[in-house]
Amino acid sequence: MYRNFFKSILDIAVAFVILLLAFVPLLLIAVLILTESKGPLFFKQERVGKGLKPFKVFKFRTMTNEKRTVGSTPIIGKADGVTRVGYYLRRYKIDELPQLLNVLLGDMSLVGPRPSVPEQLATMTEEEKSRYSVRPGLTGLAQINGNIHLSWKERFVYDLEYVKNVSFWNDIKIIFRTVLIVVLGESKFINKPMLNEK
């Protein structure tokens, strides 16, 4: 019942309340982004959602608008191209907050496997593609167990575990640990894995 009905209702309700309460801070962040460097407010990118349906994911822009070669390694810390404001938005995951709009649109959930880029489908097994049986999330089991410090194959293992054990309490625990990671830093949790309850 939770997986097929209440999860979507809670997603929309919580996303709406957060956006409402955070409207003024988000407006200030928007001004800082647009003032510091030229370019759009949002970074938009095509991702793969539930049932392999493509959608555009929203993030606050954290880098300059200059053309650059897109690499396969994650952008960490004060990498080239990251703006001063963007560094702090990334550090505290604030750049992900516009994805609450994706939640309201029904493309995403608060908790679930992170949405992948279409190019990853070519290297995934059929079992790994079962991660697309649920809506992608702002945070997920892989994100609280190492995130970018894990290989993609390791992340997929966590994603599949989450899909097999979707529950209200697992979502609550993932959200709680996500908050701790944002506040205390990811390094404090890398060697302390948390798993879903069976």
Side-chain angles (χ1 to χ4, degrees):
M1 183 67 78
Y2 172 73
R3 179 185 185 126
N4 297 321
F5 183 68
F6 287 114
K7 183 173 171 66
S8 295
I9 293 176
L10 283 174
D11 283 338
I12 293 173
V14 172
F16 179 78
V17 170
I18 293 175
L19 285 172
L20 191 64
L21 294 177
F23 178 76
V24 173
L26 291 176
L27 191 61
L28 177 60
I29 289 168
V31 171
L32 291 174
I33 292 170
L34 295 175
T35 300
E36 183 180 20
S37 62
K38 294 180 180 180
L41 174 60
F42 296 116
F43 168 75
K44 291 182 284 187
Q45 187 179 47
E46 185 171 298
R47 299 291 179 95
V48 182
K50 183 178 179 181
L52 301 179
K53 179 182 177 182
F55 71 98
K56 294 285 186 181
V57 73
F58 298 102
K59 290 186 179 185
F60 278 131
R61 179 174 59 84
T62 59
M63 303 185 74
T64 61
N65 203 36
E66 299 170 359
K67 289 185 177 180
R68 59 179 58 82
T69 302
V70 179
S72 58
T73 56
I75 299 168
I76 301 175
K78 298 180 179 179
D80 289 342
V82 176
T83 64
R84 286 175 297 176
V85 172
Y87 168 76
Y88 291 102
L89 296 183
R90 284 174 173 271
R91 164 60 184 84
Y92 295 102
K93 310 297 184 184
I94 298 171
D95 62 317
E96 308 283 356
L97 288 181
Q99 287 164 46
L100 291 169
L101 295 173
N102 288 117
V103 175
L104 292 180
L105 292 171
D107 296 322
M108 292 181 64
S109 176
L110 296 176
V111 181
R114 285 295 294 160
S116 64
V117 293
E119 290 76 13
Q120 284 182 294
L121 290 173
T123 61
M124 294 173 67
T125 66
E126 288 305 312
E127 182 185 15
E128 289 168 345
K129 288 179 183 178
S130 66
R131 74 196 293 277
Y132 301 109
S133 64
V134 299
R135 286 187 179 87
L138 272 75
T139 186
L141 194 59
Q143 283 60 56
I144 63 168
N145 282 290
N147 199 15
I148 60 175
H149 301 285
L150 300 173
S151 68
W152 280 109
K153 290 297 181 181
E154 289 172 321
R155 293 187 222 184
F156 293 156
V157 170
Y158 281 113
D159 290 343
L160 297 183
E161 183 182 342
Y162 173 80
V163 169
K164 294 175 183 176
N165 298 283
V166 174
S167 75
F168 174 75
W169 290 114
N170 280 332
D171 281 3
I172 291 296
K173 287 190 294 183
I174 290 171
I175 291 172
F176 179 72
R177 180 146 164 163
T178 298
V179 172
L180 290 179
I181 288 173
V182 169
V183 174
L184 301 177
E186 206 161 43
S187 61
K188 296 184 183 297
F189 296 86
I190 291 176
N191 297 317
K192 299 177 182 178
M194 188 190 99
L195 303 177
N196 277 312
E197 288 181 350
K198 301 295 183 182

